[in-house]
Amino acid sequence: PHIEIVRRRQGMGDAADGSRFLVMACGQIESAQFEGSENLYCRYQFQHGPDWEVMHGLEQGITQMSSSRPLASEGSVVVWNFPIDVTLKSTNVFGWPQIMITVYGDAALGQADQIQGYGAVHLPVAPGKHTLYIRTFRPIASKWLDHFISFFHGMRPEYKDPRLVARGEGREVTRVQSCGVVKITVNVSMQGMEALGYHTPPPAPRTVD
């Protein structure tokens, strides 16, 4: 294991060679709060610009299915504690990575694998440990009749391309409703940014809503 860690660090040093920099994110998708939903799971994906490349870790994944449980301080919470670990490299900051999530679960009438919410947040630009709260939303039918039919047939509207959530264009034509919050904790570290003229702020705890 020690040899593997040394080799990985050497590889990262080679990647940050003065023309590229590294961003490393390690943490977990901790929990979620969705009113009226008891069994949930979450898909995640790192979305980034064309100049970015994943060097190490998984760019996307899916959590286990978990059931909600009451917590005295937070109400009903679904706990995943699902690990995320990724290292990315790039030549510029355009297209800074985002964590994009899609939450699925049971609908009110018992239909399984129904969309509960979409959401996305940029990785923090400061190194250190951060707590991120992603407020999610889901599209709703534009017509009352379509909304009525989708409710009883258990077929909620979904985005054909979930990556739309991490982009601005095209979203202004969709109707959405807020539906829940996902909590993520992540440790961010960077390497080689100063050599390219980028200033990174000192590590400091930060909460993003």
Side-chain angles (χ1 to χ4, degrees):
H2 175 69
I3 295 176
E4 182 180 351
I5 293 173
V6 171
R7 286 177 177 172
R8 179 181 171 188
R9 289 178 177 173
Q10 289 176 343
M12 291 180 179
D14 294 339
D17 56 5
S19 62
R20 294 173 292 185
F21 61 85
L22 302 179
V23 175
M24 293 155 276
C26 178
Q28 59 183 0
I29 303 175
E30 282 197 5
S31 60
Q33 288 181 282
F34 280 78
E35 187 175 348
S37 300
E38 296 185 355
N39 302 307
L40 300 174
Y41 67 92
C42 174
R43 294 180 183 271
Y44 78 89
Q45 179 178 354
F46 286 93
Q47 183 74 10
H48 48 74
D51 297 324
W52 291 77
E53 180 183 348
V54 175
M55 281 190 60
H56 169 80
L58 297 177
E59 192 170 7
Q60 58 185 336
I62 182 171
T63 72
Q64 74 279 9
M65 174 79 79
S66 294
S67 299
S68 62
R69 61 183 184 184
L71 296 179
S73 59
E74 301 181 37
S76 184
V77 177
V78 173
V79 178
W80 293 308
N81 289 331
F82 189 84
I84 53 176
D85 185 5
V86 69
T87 300
L88 304 104
K89 65 179 179 180
S90 180
T91 57
N92 63 81
V93 297
F94 176 76
W96 191 265
Q98 300 182 62
I99 305 176
M100 186 183 68
I101 62 164
T102 308
V103 180
Y104 294 90
D106 298 337
L109 298 181
Q111 301 94 336
D113 296 327
Q114 296 298 299
I115 185 69
Q116 300 295 321
Y118 297 94
V121 67
H122 285 90
L123 284 179
V125 296
K129 184 177 181 180
H130 304 266
T131 301
L132 311 177
Y133 292 94
I134 304 179
R135 301 187 182 279
T136 66
F137 59 91
R138 61 174 175 255
I140 58 177
S142 58
K143 297 180 180 179
W144 181 87
L145 180 59
D146 293 336
H147 179 76
F148 182 81
I149 294 175
S150 66
F151 176 81
F152 283 98
H153 284 261
M155 298 174 61
R156 285 178 175 168
E158 298 185 31
Y159 290 125
K160 184 176 181 179
D161 183 1
R163 292 176 298 179
L164 178 71
V165 176
R167 300 195 294 261
E169 60 272 15
R171 284 181 50 185
E172 70 277 1
V173 299
T174 61
R175 297 178 59 197
V176 300
Q177 66 180 103
S178 300
C179 48
V181 180
V182 175
K183 179 182 178 182
I184 297 177
T185 56
V186 61
N187 287 281
V188 176
S189 57
M190 304 170 190
Q191 182 178 341
M193 296 195 69
E194 291 80 5
L196 293 177
Y198 296 108
H199 171 70
T200 55
R206 180 185 173 198
T207 299
V208 177
D209 271 322

